[in-house]
């Protein structure tokens, strides 16, 4: 059984948003400020997860008025689709988002159209309705912006790559980074069972830029970051090891993609190839530890299913770079 709310070190609570009813896929985080400065929420998840966030706040003992800040790493619906609903509930909260994302949050028409094209109608239904965020609530953030929670500071790092409008939030107190999708996705259960970190990069189209993602991963790996608070899924350390793992995989994935560029049905074939590559990396330790895929089917899905989207992004990025 997965725990729905986990109290982490340094006054941070990790909440399982049970995205589209699936436990262990998408997390939001409540950070407690110093003194009476209130709380910050990072990532709302989709609209259909809003009730989970409100319930969690209630259980932790946070009143809606105490949430003073909401940050979203980027505007993809699995991260920020619920911001319209959540910002109405936490009505005193300042919202922090990248300026490129801001206009699509205030008027989500294009965001909804683009998401429907990527995810399809059924998944969009499951995500719930993307409501506009009231204008004037959002503060545009760029590199170096400081969000002050009493004595506690959260710093914005611009990290384009997964999307142009991607930012990470660095918590000085725990030397932890709320990485959105920049550091990839992490499988906490598998990592524990196999006794080594299991993660992979997240490179979906249409916006993915491999060179930028690499630059930002190098930056994170060489920084003072010690902990990673993944949106997909959960808190993990040591950061450097995890980041270097994903850097290696990303280089590998970008390299493999070149083989498929001119193939027919390239997305599907590359998606399969990426799945094989990741399974190959896991197979030895899974056999050694007597773990079969059915025991970890949820996390295997988290690792494997989105790889067709990742293949699409890798190929689109290659085509752009060759133009
Ligand atoms: Zn995501």
């Amino acid at each position: 059984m997965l725990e729905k709310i986990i109290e982490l070190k340094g006054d941070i609570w990790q909440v399982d948003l049970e995205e589209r009813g699936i436990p262990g896929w998408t997390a939001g985080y409540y950070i407690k400020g110093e003194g009476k400065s209130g709380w910050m929420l990072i990532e709302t998840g989709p609209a259909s997860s809003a009730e989970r966030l409100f319930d969690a706040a209630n259980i932790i003992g946070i009143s809606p008025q105490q949430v003073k800040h909401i940050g979203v790493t980027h505007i993809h619906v699995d991260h920020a689709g619920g911001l319209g609903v959540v910002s109405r509930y936490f009505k005193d909260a300042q919202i922090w988002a990248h300026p490129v994302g801001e206009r699509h949050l205030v008027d989500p028409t294009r965001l909804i159209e683009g998401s429907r094209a990527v995810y399809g109608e059924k998944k969009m239904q499951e995500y719930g309705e993307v409501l506009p965020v009231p204008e004037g609530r959002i503060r545009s953030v760029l590199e170096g912006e400081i969000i002050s929670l009493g004595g506690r500071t959260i710093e914005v790092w611009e990290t384009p790559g997964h999307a142009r409008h991607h930012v990470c939030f660095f918590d000085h107190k725990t030397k932890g980074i709320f990485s959105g999708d920049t550091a990839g996705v992490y499988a906490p259960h598998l990592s524990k069972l196999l006794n080594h970190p299991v993660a992979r990069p997240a490179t979906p189209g249409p916006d993915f830029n491999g060179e930028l993602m690499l630059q930002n991963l190098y930056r994170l790996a060489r920084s003072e970051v010690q902990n990673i608070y993944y949106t997909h899924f959960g808190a993990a350390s040591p950061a450097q090891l995890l980041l270097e793992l994903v850097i290696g995989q990303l280089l590998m994935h970008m390299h493999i993609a070149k083989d498929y560029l001119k193939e027919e049905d390239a997305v599907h074939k590359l998606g399969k190839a990426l799945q094989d590559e990741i399974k190959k990396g896991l197979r030895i330790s899974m056999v050694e530890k007597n773990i079969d895929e059915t025991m970890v089917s949820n996390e295997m899905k988290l690792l494997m299913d989105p790889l067709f989207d990742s293949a699409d992004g890798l190929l689109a990025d290659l085509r752009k770079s060759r133009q």
Side-chain angles (χ1 to χ4, degrees), residues 11 38 82 133 160 215-216 221 241 273:
D11 289 327
V133 176
Q215 293 308 321
N216 284 304
L241 186 69

Side-chain angles (χ1 to χ4, degrees), residues 247-267:
I247 288 168
Q249 289 174 316
L250 178 57
L251 287 167
M252 196 68 191
H253 292 188
M254 289 166 74
H255 176 74
I256 295 170
K258 289 181 197 159
D259 289 347
Y260 292 86
L261 196 55
K262 293 199 170 71
E263 295 247 346
E264 237 173 81
D265 204 11
V267 170

Side-chain angles (χ1 to χ4, degrees), residues 1 3 5 29 43 79 85-86 90-91 125-126 137 154 161 165 183 213 231 238 247 270 292 306 312 315 318:
M1 210 24 213
E3 281 179 85
I5 303 169
Y29 295 90
E43 308 288 55
H79 295 252
V85 182
V86 173
F90 296 134
K91 57 184 184 349
Q125 293 275 340
E126 290 169 358
R137 291 284 303 278
I154 309 290
H165 53 271
M213 186 181 274
T231 305
I247 288 168
L270 175 58
D292 78 76
D312 183 48
L315 291 164
L318 259 184

Side-chain angles (χ1 to χ4, degrees), residues 300-313:
M300 286 304 273
K301 271 177 86 69
L302 173 65
L303 288 173
M304 296 298 158
D305 285 4
L307 283 172
F308 294 98
D309 297 334
S310 283
D312 183 48

Side-chain angles (χ1 to χ4, degrees), residues 74 78-79 181 232:
H74 61 302
D78 56 328
H79 295 252
D181 285 341
H232 315 288

Side-chain angles (χ1 to χ4, degrees), residues 92-294:
D92 297 330
Q94 172 88 69
I95 295 158
W96 304 80
H98 191 280
V100 173
E102 180 182 354
R103 60 176 181 269
H104 298 296
L105 293 169
V106 173
D107 176 7
T109 316
R110 278 189 54 204
L111 174 65
I112 294 167
E113 279 167 20
S115 309
R116 191 170 280 133
V118 176
Y119 302 120
E121 188 55 44
K122 181 174 173 278
K123 216 168 171 186
M124 283 304 281
Q125 293 275 340
E126 290 169 358
Y127 280 135
E129 192 182 357
V130 181
L131 291 179
V133 176
E135 211 162 355
R137 291 284 303 278
I138 302 176
R139 176 128 168 226
S140 294
V141 282
L142 293 168
E143 177 68 31
E145 186 92 37
I146 297 287
I147 302 160
S148 176
L149 310 176
R152 185 171 199 166
T153 52
I154 309 290
E155 192 177 326
V156 175
W157 293 2
E158 272 187 272
T159 54
H162 177 83
R164 253 176 315 159
H165 53 271
H166 199 294
V167 296
C168 293
F169 296 95
F170 178 64
D171 172 34
H172 282 267
K173 179 169 172 169
T174 59
K175 298 209 183 304
I177 195 99
F178 296 87
S179 59
D181 285 341
T182 294
V185 307
Y186 171 73
H189 234 67
L190 259 171
S191 300
K192 203 170 167 193
L193 288 171
L194 299 181
N195 207 19
H196 66 72
V198 178
R200 65 150 175 84
T203 65
D207 222 13
F208 166 67
N209 181 312
E211 205 39 58
L212 285 177
M213 186 181 274
L214 276 173
Q215 293 308 321
N216 284 304
L217 284 166
Y218 294 144
R219 174 195 178 176
L220 294 183
R222 297 182 70 189
S223 74
E224 60 194 301
V225 170
Q226 293 174 5
N227 299 294
I228 303 181
Y229 306 114
Y230 292 90
T231 305
H232 315 288
F233 178 85
S237 64
Q240 191 187 336
L241 186 69
L242 290 154
L243 290 159
E244 287 178 0
L245 167 70
V246 170
I247 288 168
Q249 289 174 316
L250 178 57
L251 287 167
M252 196 68 191
H253 292 188
M254 289 166 74
H255 176 74
I256 295 170
K258 289 181 197 159
D259 289 347
Y260 292 86
L261 196 55
K262 293 199 170 71
E263 295 247 346
E264 237 173 81
D265 204 11
V267 170
H268 186 76
K269 285 180 188 162
L270 175 58
K272 282 266 179 232
L274 297 178
Q275 290 185 335
D276 289 344
E277 180 66 20
I278 288 170
K279 279 188 184 161
K280 183 157 68 77
L282 294 175
R283 197 169 296 135
I284 297 171
S285 48
M286 283 177 76
V287 169
E288 214 171 71
K289 301 244 161 43
N290 241 330
I291 292 156
D292 78 76
E293 270 188 42
T294 55

Side-chain angles (χ1 to χ4, degrees), residues 2-4 14-18 22-27 52 233:
L2 285 165
E3 281 179 85
K4 292 187 176 159
Q14 175 189 319
V15 179
D16 186 347
L17 300 179
E18 296 181 74
I22 310 167
W25 274 58
T26 300
R52 309 252 181 285
F233 178 85

